[in-house]
Amino acid sequence: MNIAVIGTGYVGLVVGACFAESGNEVVCVDNNSDKIAKLEMGHIPIYEPGLPELIERNVRDHRLTFTTDLKSAVQKSKIIFIAVGTPTTSSGAADLSAVYAVATAIGKAMNEYKVVITKSTVPVGTADTVRDLIDKETNLEFDVVSNPEFLKQGAAVDDFMRPDRIVVGTDNPRAAEILRELYAPFVRTGSPILVVDIRTSEMVKYAANAFLAARISFMNEISNLCEAVGADVDMVRKGMAADSRIGSAFLFPGVGYGGSCFPKDTRALIQTGREFTTPMRILEAVEAVNNDQAHRFVNRVIDHFKGKLKDKRFGVWGLSFKPRTNDMRDAPAIRIIEQLLRKGAAISAYDPEAMEEGKRIFGSRIEFAPNNYDCLTGADALLLVTEWQEFRNPNFERIKAAMRNPVIFDGRNIFEAGHIRDLGFTYFSIGRK
Ligand code: NAD
């Protein structure tokens, strides 16, 4: 099949490469000409395990191309995915301007029947507006389908290749059949393709993300209570996870969720609730708890140093919002570092993949170390913010030798408290004794 994917970001690039890998001819479109030029030269703009090999192979075999020319991409493709960004507006709602601009451009470019698919995460009712916008521009036949994406950054290729489920929102059997055919190679192990109406499909994505965010905030709140009452959240978590009705995923307390999805999607769903006079009270609390969590972490640092951070220097391990990605959108590290800078602290940071992004965000306001040990030279404390695998088993003697004070604030509970204290560190973690 000939496919156009419009928006070549974290989602569009993975979706395009994976569809090419299953034999389709895919053209990825973006209005960022710099990004397209780099991709054409073989430079992959994001860090995503497994993605470079996939792109290289499919470009070489002429199944995957890149362009800024939306019109020609639309004209040679029967299937068109819209995968542009839907960031948060000041009200908390999703900004749909890019989705709508693309819909109008597709309408203008139409030359024959197309299936236009909203892959971006969009509020209920968006596909109807996309249909109206295309309809204004053309008399040709087309279908609009909602097909939300559930991939996780850091495991995006695997998730796309082996999805838990595919959700297709359409009221048209012809469009449903095209999507079934397109996804057949990805569901050979029996994952379901759920064909539902468009509004239900749009809602599934928000409900899933909001629920995952709620689990995180719930555990963060439980961890705060554990600290207050003298319980150990690690064992509480294990005790909960053993219950098959609960399961073990998304039960880890920390410095709060971040990234380009959970914060934005919970806010957008809260906003949809307001619009439809159906307040999302649980989600409002989920967001409030999350906003507090990074503050609590910083306050612990402030309390330990008795409010005097002006002459203090902190080594921060991890900038990306989670391991295995270079994405820092809405990352807790930003909130934490900004608060410490406001208090006058000096920061040195290290991240295995997000250094370039960190430099773009902080410029010369913080230092960037070439590795996690140099990051701690003369530091008054190590602040562990992102749980990269390589941080889990470091050389603690080397850490201690580099630091001015052997103090660790572990924002992800990756170290074993007893062991660290035996080594002579002052150690703080989340919700543990
Ligand atoms: P992104 O910002 O990485 O990529 C969006 C791309 O769209 C950018 O390259 C941008 O230049 C391009 N773009 C914007 N306007 C355009 C236009 N008018 N024409 C052509 N290109 C245009 O965003 P992302 O993380 O890939 O997310 C895209 C959508 O997918 C969002 O709605 C997001 O919520 C959703 N989503 C993201 C993830 C994730 O893990 N990142 C997972 C599932 C769903």
Side-chain angles (χ1 to χ4, degrees), residues 80-96:
I80 301 159
F81 283 93
I82 303 178
V84 295
T86 50
T88 303
T89 61
S90 53
S91 71
D95 178 351
L96 297 171

Side-chain angles (χ1 to χ4, degrees), residues 9-11 30-31 35 84 86 120-121 149 153 261 264 329:
Y10 282 89
V11 168
D30 207 284
N31 63 355
K35 187 179 265 193
V84 295
T86 50
S120 302
T121 302
E149 183 49 55
Q153 286 173 234
C261 291
K264 146 176 109 58
R329 287 178 286 182

Side-chain angles (χ1 to χ4, degrees), residues 19 86 115 181 193 223 225 243 253 257 262 271 293 306 341 350 369 391 398 402 423:
F19 278 133
T86 50
V115 186
E181 200 184 319
I193 297 181
S223 76
L225 191 57
D243 186 325
Y257 59 75
F262 287 178
Q271 197 52 33
Q293 203 63 13
K306 307 205 167 26
L341 287 176
Y350 172 74
F391 296 157
R398 218 175 139 187
L423 292 170

Side-chain angles (χ1 to χ4, degrees), residues 35-54:
K35 187 179 265 193
I36 292 299
K38 284 185 175 146
L39 280 161
E40 281 182 318
M41 287 187 303
H43 175 79
I44 316 297
I46 56 174
Y47 173 76
E48 189 57 54
L51 186 60
E53 299 86 317
L54 209 59

Side-chain angles (χ1 to χ4, degrees), residues 5-13 29-33 35-36 45-46 48 67-68 70 82-87 94-103 105 119-122 148-154 156 205-206 209 259-261 264-265 321-322 327 329:
V5 180
I6 303 173
T8 308
Y10 282 89
V11 168
L13 191 53
V29 184
D30 207 284
N31 63 355
N32 180 337
S33 50
K35 187 179 265 193
I36 292 299
I46 56 174
E48 189 57 54
T67 186
T68 53
L70 182 144
I82 303 178
V84 295
T86 50
D95 178 351
L96 297 171
S97 53
V99 172
Y100 293 158
V102 166
K119 185 53 109 177
S120 302
T121 302
V122 290
E149 183 49 55
F150 298 96
L151 63 77
K152 301 182 288 295
Q153 286 173 234
K205 172 67 189 174
Y206 279 102
N209 268 6
S260 69
C261 291
K264 146 176 109 58
D265 295 348
F321 83 92
K322 67 171 183 178
D327 194 352
R329 287 178 286 182

